[in-house]
Amino acid sequence: MRRSRIYARPVISLLSSGPTQNVTQFFNKFLDMKKTISIENTSDDALDNAYSPIFNAGFESTACIDHAGSILHFLRLKNDDNFPNQLSLLAITDSDNDCNDDSMDLQLSIQHARDSIAQNLDTSSKSALKLLGMTKFHKEVYPHHLTSLDQGMPILELPKENIAERKDADKVSSNIREIVLPFNVESKYKDNMTLQQKLSSSGMYRPKVGLYQWSTGFPILRPLPAAETDLTLPNPSLIFQCASLDTIQEKISDEVVISKVGFNSLSSSGQLVIHHPAIQGIEIRLCESTELSSSFAEAQDSLMAGSLDDLQNVNVLAEGGAGKTKSMDVELYSSKSSQGTQNISKERGKVDAMNGLGDCWVEFRANMKRPVGFFDKKARAKPAQTIAKPPDLPYE
């Protein structure tokens, strides 16, 4: 019997600085991923040989697949360092085969993603020496160290063919509902296109303004432009579909920290944000609503994007923004030291090294470290090419 044609699945590649076993355990336990696989690379793998012969560490891959076929691909540089789990969005690629649960098809999808990443890496000798030095001095590697893209923009390989509206898209039961991509409007790819232009030129269907739908129906890509005053970009978000927020909150609230976002007097169908040490660098949300919306409720972390890090306490978001949703206060205790009293949160707090050491020159020194705020973005940007237009004269 001939199998009916199924659209190719998306592969979301995340660069991990720590062991990927902890990450896959998190997604399997709390988000009910369908399957976890480990990739066996061959000797002629393009990604492992990208930086040879200067840097021969290579990359190891593990992957989780949800019930609709979307693949979360975790990529880790092979080394002996045990960094904390810091995830970064590296690439979103279109697999070159149908959605099937066969192990061979999954291997082919991951291998296609690895080949796409290898083609977009900066494989110069300078980049290889830089990676070698970073591993020798125990420095964490991020996507912009590999691709040299502005602001760590992800590698995009999107469907190119024109895809008509899928009438059954709302019936697809998918774990991964949306992928939110924060970007700087001034950042461009090597082909001089912005992230917004990349999405607009693809064959993806647009169910709502500002949303781009994959050919399988889900996930939805949501570009999120940064504000003009933002100095940093918020973390990308993976939004997972669930049947009931109350049910899943009762199930996992004792093992993770949960905060609410998007709940207000006009709408009671908000989202839950999960905080866990295994998923640092990526925001994980849960949503029970089946309707798509052009608006997006940003979390508390986005409020800090326009502020200087040296002027903020490390525990500024420990309570309220990242505290538990149930009505209980985050327990604090005080420890006395030579630098004064320090407040430490047992939930996810840290010791602030600047406690008791502030003076009137703190803000001045912080601005001197990052003087970019003194310059207008329009003045730093390249002047746009202007084209003369005919005058709009009234008809006589």
Side-chain angles (χ1 to χ4, degrees):
M1 182 176 65
R2 180 180 298 179
R3 187 180 60 176
S4 60
R5 170 69 180 176
I6 307 178
Y7 291 97
R9 77 187 82 202
V11 181
I12 302 104
S13 299
L14 302 173
L15 183 65
S16 176
S17 60
T20 57
Q21 181 180 2
N22 299 335
V23 185
T24 54
Q25 288 178 354
F26 168 85
F27 282 95
N28 289 330
K29 183 177 183 180
F30 299 109
L31 299 174
D32 190 27
M33 301 299 282
K34 186 176 181 180
K35 184 183 296 186
T36 300
I37 58 174
S38 181
I39 309 302
E40 297 180 1
N41 301 328
T42 59
S43 58
D44 58 345
D45 183 77
L47 188 57
D48 282 342
N49 300 328
Y51 297 101
S52 62
I54 300 176
F55 186 65
N56 294 319
F59 296 84
E60 60 183 14
S61 293
T62 55
C64 294
I65 179 173
D66 69 2
H67 296 271
S70 300
I71 298 176
L72 282 177
H73 171 216
F74 305 103
L75 197 68
R76 180 176 180 264
L77 192 64
K78 296 178 182 178
N79 51 37
D80 297 329
D81 298 325
N82 291 323
F83 289 113
N85 286 106
Q86 183 75 22
L87 299 177
S88 305
L89 181 60
L90 178 61
I92 302 177
T93 56
D94 191 13
S95 61
D96 202 19
N97 61 303
D98 297 346
C99 290
N100 193 10
D101 290 338
D102 295 340
S103 298
M104 183 60 65
D105 283 350
L106 295 176
Q107 293 277 350
L108 292 176
S109 298
I110 300 301
Q111 188 60 52
H112 179 76
R114 289 176 62 94
D115 294 340
S116 299
I117 294 173
Q119 295 176 1
N120 290 274
L121 293 183
D122 182 8
T123 57
S124 61
S125 300
K126 180 180 178 181
S127 180
L129 289 173
K130 185 177 181 179
L131 284 178
L132 181 62
M134 293 181 68
T135 55
K136 293 295 183 181
F137 290 97
H138 308 287
K139 301 294 184 180
E140 296 185 18
V141 178
Y142 292 97
H144 64 271
H145 296 137
L146 304 176
T147 63
S148 298
L149 295 179
D150 292 343
Q151 299 287 332
M153 298 173 66
I155 300 171
L156 292 180
E157 184 180 310
L158 305 173
K160 297 180 181 179
E161 59 182 5
N162 293 327
I163 301 172
E165 178 183 0
R166 297 193 59 197
K167 301 299 182 180
D168 59 340
D170 55 343
K171 300 180 181 179
V172 177
S173 176
S174 174
N175 285 51
I176 304 178
R177 168 192 171 97
E178 294 181 19
I179 304 176
V180 183
L181 304 174
F183 70 100
N184 193 323
V185 293
E186 298 178 356
S187 300
K188 295 183 178 181
Y189 287 91
K190 295 181 180 179
D191 56 0
N192 207 31
M193 296 180 64
T194 64
L195 187 142
Q196 184 74 51
Q197 292 172 337
K198 282 275 190 181
L199 294 172
S200 300
S201 61
S202 67
M204 304 179 71
Y205 172 67
R206 306 180 192 180
K208 296 281 186 177
V209 177
L211 301 183
Y212 299 84
Q213 189 177 60
W214 207 269
S215 56
T216 52
F218 288 98
I220 304 294
L221 301 188
R222 183 191 295 271
L224 186 65
E228 293 185 0
T229 57
D230 287 352
L231 301 177
T232 58
L233 289 176
N235 294 329
S237 301
L238 296 180
I239 303 178
F240 286 75
Q241 189 78 46
C242 67
S244 174
L245 292 180
D246 295 334
T247 302
I248 196 169
Q249 182 178 351
E250 294 178 358
K251 181 180 178 181
I252 67 176
S253 59
D254 293 335
E255 302 180 66
V256 299
V257 180
I258 298 178
S259 59
K260 290 184 177 180
V261 63
F263 291 88
N264 50 51
S265 59
L266 299 178
S267 175
S268 59
S269 59
Q271 299 173 347
L272 297 182
V273 183
I274 301 178
H275 306 273
H276 192 273
I279 53 171
Q280 297 182 24
I282 295 291
E283 185 182 65
I284 302 296
R285 296 191 181 192
L286 299 173
C287 179
E288 68 178 8
S289 176
T290 57
E291 297 182 2
L292 299 177
S293 175
S294 297
S295 61
F296 177 72
E298 297 187 69
Q300 289 87 343
D301 292 358
S302 62
L303 300 177
M304 313 300 296
S307 60
L308 298 173
D309 294 337
D310 294 343
L311 300 181
Q312 302 301 327
N313 189 287
V314 292
N315 298 310
V316 69
L317 295 178
E319 184 176 3
K324 291 182 179 295
T325 56
K326 50 188 177 183
S327 57
M328 62 176 293
D329 295 330
V330 179
E331 185 178 359
L332 298 175
Y333 67 92
S334 299
S335 62
K336 295 183 179 180
S337 64
S338 59
Q339 298 180 359
T341 303
Q342 298 173 336
N343 291 327
I344 306 173
S345 170
K346 287 186 178 180
E347 291 290 344
R348 50 185 297 230
K350 300 178 182 178
V351 177
D352 189 357
M354 292 302 296
N355 279 357
L357 299 179
D359 54 41
C360 59
W361 292 97
V362 171
E363 184 176 357
F364 176 78
R365 289 193 295 267
N367 281 278
M368 289 298 99
K369 289 181 181 179
R370 298 196 64 178
V372 66
F374 293 106
F375 303 97
D376 188 6
K377 285 189 175 183
K378 295 182 179 180
R380 301 194 312 267
K382 296 180 180 179
Q385 184 179 3
T386 58
I387 301 176
K389 297 181 180 179
D392 186 9
L393 299 178
Y395 175 75
E396 295 182 358

